[in-house]
Amino acid sequence: MTDIELQLAETFCKIDNTKEIEYPPIALSIGTKVINTKKGNEVVDIPIGTYGNFSFIQAPPKSRKSYFVSLLVSAYLRHNNFVGKIKSHRKSEQVLHFDTEQGHWHSARSFRRVIDMCGTSDGYHTFALRTINYSQRMEFIEYCFRKHKNTGICVIDGIADLVNDANNIEQSNDCVQKLMKWSTDFKCHIITVIHSNFGTDKPTGHLGSFLEKKAETQISLEKNTVHSDQTTVTCKRSRGFPFENLSFKINNFGYPEIIENFYDPLKGT
């Protein structure tokens, strides 16, 4: 790096420790928590994700990951409203939604589910990237960020399809570095989706390991062992307060909905 580049880097990276620390603005939250502050007790929202960060959802195949994504996106698009326990903190921000795994028909059906659930397609931009080579997908996503600069949430359903090999350390690191850069540069929250390794609760490959280290929130999905029609959502890790477990099911209309009474099979309640 030249001296000018280093000076620019210093400008962007330097932290002014004399300024009051403000919590990053929240994109989506689940529930609240009472914390003790210098000004007394304060009720704060528990974030799923804040602007300028990224999170990821992990689950075995066929665990209704795309349905949960639909739940989050439809909640966000509803402008400062609730979907079950999920609260939107959206103002006028837009959503970018990329599906890398499904073909156009199945992708369109998933995207349409979001629109049907929230009642609007305004500010919702959807793309199926299955036919694009993995090396071109990152370029296309960055192009969309530049085009839609008021992006609040970006979903990448199938983050492993942005690399040739999820066990390639260099490619995995580059991919996660991109997530950190995009979320910072465009002041958005990025939600990614990755499979779990077979027979474990670990996300796939070195890519999954890098995601665990750098993500703001790690969310795990698992089919309920007692009620097979329900999926349990768990906050495995969080840089802030972890949200409480919740469950959702697919209703008679084919839409995911939150179940208010969470059933814990380990406790039998």
Side-chain angles (χ1 to χ4, degrees):
M1 297 175 70
T2 65
D3 284 346
I4 293 177
E5 290 173 329
L6 289 169
Q7 289 170 8
L8 286 172
E10 180 184 16
T11 301
F12 285 113
C13 297
K14 184 176 176 60
I15 299 295
D16 185 351
N17 293 314
T18 64
K19 289 185 176 181
E20 184 177 349
I21 300 174
E22 295 183 0
Y23 200 81
I26 298 174
L28 281 168
S29 63
I30 297 180
T32 59
K33 184 176 180 66
V34 178
I35 61 172
N36 187 14
T37 71
K38 293 180 180 179
K39 300 177 182 179
N41 289 343
E42 184 179 348
V43 179
V44 297
D45 293 300
I46 300 174
I48 301 174
T50 58
Y51 295 119
N53 283 298
F54 78 90
S55 59
F56 75 97
I57 300 164
Q58 66 165 91
K62 310 304 178 186
S63 297
R64 307 185 181 107
K65 296 184 295 298
S66 293
Y67 280 98
F68 184 61
V69 167
S70 297
L71 201 55
L72 295 179
V73 175
S74 64
Y76 183 74
L77 286 169
R78 286 192 180 185
H79 292 276
N80 195 27
N81 208 336
F82 288 88
V83 174
K85 299 178 180 180
I86 304 172
K87 181 181 179 181
S88 170
H89 298 260
R90 179 190 180 212
K91 295 177 181 176
S92 62
E93 295 88 352
Q94 303 177 62
V95 174
L96 295 178
H97 193 163
F98 302 96
D99 190 306
T100 67
E101 296 181 346
Q102 302 182 108
H104 276 65
W105 189 86
H106 287 93
S107 295
R109 187 174 66 168
S110 296
F111 299 147
R112 182 66 196 210
R113 182 167 61 231
V114 170
I115 295 169
D116 290 343
M117 289 172 64
C118 68
T120 181
S121 61
D122 185 38
Y124 183 42
H125 308 285
T126 56
F127 306 91
L129 305 187
R130 183 177 180 177
T131 57
I132 300 179
N133 185 278
Y134 82 91
S135 62
Q136 299 172 320
R137 289 174 185 143
M138 279 195 192
E139 291 183 46
F140 182 77
I141 292 172
E142 190 157 324
Y143 160 79
C144 290
F145 270 124
R146 293 197 304 268
K147 183 176 180 180
H148 304 284
K149 294 183 179 179
N150 190 31
T151 297
I153 279 184
C154 169
V155 175
I156 304 174
D157 194 344
I159 188 68
D161 291 317
L162 300 191
V163 298
N164 184 45
D165 180 4
N167 277 310
N168 183 295
I169 293 178
E170 185 176 351
Q171 287 185 8
S172 297
N173 184 48
D174 288 345
C175 181
V176 174
Q177 290 294 325
K178 274 290 186 184
L179 296 180
M180 293 193 292
K181 179 174 173 54
W182 289 336
S183 58
T184 301
D185 289 352
F186 298 102
K187 299 179 176 62
C188 66
H189 186 81
I190 300 176
I191 301 171
T192 65
V193 181
I194 191 170
H195 290 295
S196 297
N197 282 327
F198 181 76
T200 76
D201 64 349
K202 288 285 188 181
T204 302
H206 287 301
L207 178 59
S209 297
F210 280 115
L211 289 172
E212 283 188 311
K213 293 173 184 176
K214 304 297 185 181
E216 177 183 28
T217 311
Q218 179 180 355
I219 301 170
S220 175
L221 303 188
E222 185 177 8
K223 286 188 178 181
N224 195 296
T225 55
V226 175
H227 300 288
S228 60
D229 64 326
Q230 300 180 15
T231 298
T232 301
V233 182
T234 305
C235 180
K236 287 192 68 177
R237 292 180 179 86
S238 174
R239 294 191 187 278
F241 302 113
F243 59 81
E244 292 184 358
N245 292 358
L246 60 90
S247 291
F248 71 91
K249 67 178 181 179
I250 311 304
N251 64 23
N252 294 334
F253 299 101
Y255 304 141
E257 64 178 34
I258 299 291
I259 300 169
E260 293 302 325
N261 296 319
F262 170 70
Y263 182 88
D264 188 341
L266 296 178
K267 297 179 181 178
T269 58

